[in-house]
Amino acid sequence: MSVYTLVIHGGAGTILKKDMTDEKENAYRKGLEEALNVGYSLLEKGKSAVEAILAATISLEDNILFNAGKGSVFGKDGKHEMDASIMDGNTLMAGSVAAVKDVRNPVELAYTIMKKSQHVMLNGSGALEFAKLHGLNIENDNYFFSQFRYDQWKEMQGSDEAALDHNVLVKDNSTFTKATEDNKKFGTVGAAAMDMHGNIAAATSTGGMTNKMYGRVGDSPIIGAGTYANNKTCAISCTGHGEPFIRAVTAYDVSCLMEYKGLSLEEAMNIVVHEKLIKIDGEGGMIGVDAKGNTAMIFNSEGMYRAVRTSKGENEISIYK
Ligand code: ASP
């Protein structure tokens, strides 16, 4: 029997049961389930891992709860700039977009860059122009607006701080302290899959960090940091504080530990997330599949929105540790 597998995430951070209402938790679970359904049904039909992760990531981008596409966080200038990437482990082709505005589905733009340009990465106005040229959906700023992300940003506006949307810092007598319950919002999204032909792929999409500088680029669009896929080893999508993830070349490091040291996916991810990232204050996590269809979802934060479904019968949606 051919094996296929889909694993997704909706961001990692200070996600605690005590801060969650049943209603909120159900909404997040529903969002993850919808994305799993969309991507997994493609795998069942024999479609490629790339098609499955693209569809699953678009579903999460379209859900206002997650910090990607609709519902992206606000930057320092009150605008939404989004990052996304995708990589095909079979061909080692990749596409990526950084600091783009107004594109409804940044991961679709990353995919289009991979398929229809001679480049890997486009940013800013050039990326937007390329999206228009290829007929992708463009929205005005209001489409991306969500009241809760706006409120998060308002708490930080005027400061030089930037925060993970999961751990938004709030002003407390002019010093910045940990998030209040209402300000803990979660988000960046990603997917990794193996299809029935044995190919693997990964994608990541994000609005980045609240109150980030105009032009700031996180790990999500950087191939090797936020996303990596190689049929020899693994397909990985990361979420967390982008700067340490870039410095640790996180996703590629997992692949290297597997390729050069012979570690399993889970062993490699544990070393990167629980040892290497911790040493440089890299809060967050990652999801991945290996070339045999094994999956892992590892994080060093309080929680990570995550879900997995496999042809071997695994079917799990989880949030907390
Ligand atoms: N990694 C993303 C960034 O730094 C944020 C996240 O994963 O929530 O832009």
Side-chain angles (χ1 to χ4, degrees), residues 9 11-12 67 83 164-166 186-189 204-209 212 216-221 238-243 245:
H9 71 79
N67 170 24
D83 299 337
L164 280 180
D165 60 330
H166 349 307
F186 318 100
T188 289
V189 307
T204 310
S205 180
T206 188
M209 290 175 73
K212 65 186 180 182
R216 179 264 186 185
V217 175
D219 61 313
S220 308
C238 300
T239 173
H241 188 174
E243 281 71 9
F245 277 67

Side-chain angles (χ1 to χ4, degrees), residues 13 27 39 42 63 80 82 104 186 210 230 260 270 289 295 313 320:
L42 293 174
N63 188 328
H80 310 278
M82 299 166 288
R104 182 186 177 117
F186 318 100
T210 299
N230 186 335
Y260 305 136
N270 270 318
V289 304
T295 59
Y320 314 105

Side-chain angles (χ1 to χ4, degrees), residues 2-4 42-47 194-199:
S2 48
V3 175
Y4 43 95
L42 293 174
L43 293 174
E44 281 179 317
K45 288 183 198 135
K47 300 281 186 190
M194 187 179 90
D195 61 34
M196 60 171 73
H197 316 289
N199 294 316

Side-chain angles (χ1 to χ4, degrees), residues 85-98:
S85 64
I86 190 163
M87 185 161 185
D88 179 347
N90 182 30
T91 58
L92 300 184
M93 294 297 282
S96 144
V97 57

